[in-house]
Amino acid sequence: MSRARCPRCERPLNHCLCALIPHLDNRTRVLLLQHPSEVGHALNTARLAALGLANAELRVGEDFSGLDLSAWDAWLLFPGESAVALAELAAQPVDKPRLLVVPDGTWRKARKLLHLNPNLAALPRVVLPEGLTSRYRLRKAPAEGALSTIEAVVHALDALDAPQSHADLLRPFDALIEGQIAAMGEETFLRNHGPRSS
């Protein structure tokens, strides 16, 4: 029998995160495009980001070809040859409301979303600064600077909507990680994820 789940955060009721999810007014709208394989993921940080931001939307799927972004100054948060830095984008004047499009999935799945949706791949791109470290201590990042979706959104909005801070968005994320560490036991955590002795 499956455990009862919170209809909002979709966590088991005894691990509901709703009390930790803030309600932040963000100026830059965030559109999270989630690959279907991420929906059942234990963390599902894109959902947490969408719940914590007043001006955000989460869509699940692979085909976003019908997405009309013409009313927006839309930018794709994804690396690319012509990608600009967040600080550079933040300094640019805006004549339409700004929209940050964030693919949610593994790097492979995110690339696939862009391959399937040339309209998204054609958007101008913005990238996070180098050298950021993820707070997700339970996973070996595939590359230096790889962050969870919610961490990437926080960094991006802190730059684009400065001086407003969006750090509170990470409260449920931190609680999830602490819960996972507690469930596995500190000894197991340190053995598998602790600092490596050289």
Side-chain angles (χ1 to χ4, degrees):
M1 200 173 95
S2 62
R3 288 190 289 179
R5 292 187 168 266
C6 168
R8 184 167 176 256
C9 71
E10 296 184 356
R11 301 288 302 157
L13 282 178
N14 58 339
H15 293 291
C16 173
L17 293 168
C18 289
L20 294 173
I21 297 172
H23 183 77
L24 300 178
D25 286 318
N26 50 312
R27 211 171 48 240
T28 301
R29 182 165 180 77
V30 177
L31 175 60
L32 297 137
L33 301 178
Q34 187 173 60
H35 190 276
S37 66
E38 293 294 308
V39 176
H41 195 278
L43 290 183
N44 197 347
T45 69
R47 182 169 183 79
L48 291 176
L51 288 172
L53 295 169
N55 194 8
E57 182 185 356
L58 174 65
R59 292 197 188 187
V60 179
E62 287 191 84
D63 181 2
F64 297 106
S65 56
L67 214 51
D68 180 12
L69 303 177
S70 57
W72 301 90
D73 176 34
W75 290 78
L76 181 72
L77 184 62
F78 203 78
E81 279 181 25
S82 57
V84 302
L86 276 165
E88 196 180 317
L89 178 58
Q92 288 183 18
V94 183
D95 57 349
K96 291 194 257 192
R98 183 163 282 156
L99 175 73
L100 188 67
V101 179
V102 184
D104 176 55
T106 61
W107 284 106
R108 208 174 112 250
K109 297 274 170 55
R111 281 191 202 96
K112 186 182 176 193
L113 277 182
L114 299 185
H115 178 71
L116 293 173
N117 298 277
N119 56 325
L120 296 179
L123 289 174
R125 298 187 188 193
V126 61
V127 284
L128 296 168
E130 289 180 15
L132 298 175
T133 306
S134 176
R135 293 154 80 134
Y136 188 23
R137 309 189 299 281
L138 294 176
R139 186 173 64 182
K140 297 282 179 285
E144 196 68 34
L147 303 181
S148 66
T149 298
I150 200 167
E151 291 173 303
V153 167
V154 167
H155 279 291
L157 288 180
D158 278 353
L160 298 175
D161 290 3
Q164 184 184 353
S165 167
H166 302 80
D168 282 352
L169 207 54
L170 294 172
R171 282 196 321 233
F173 176 64
D174 288 339
L176 264 178
I177 295 164
E178 291 305 324
Q180 287 189 341
I181 291 171
M184 73 168 65
E186 186 144 353
E187 195 178 317
T188 306
F189 167 70
L190 289 172
R191 188 169 64 244
N192 295 321
H193 305 282
R196 295 269 176 265
S197 49
S198 47

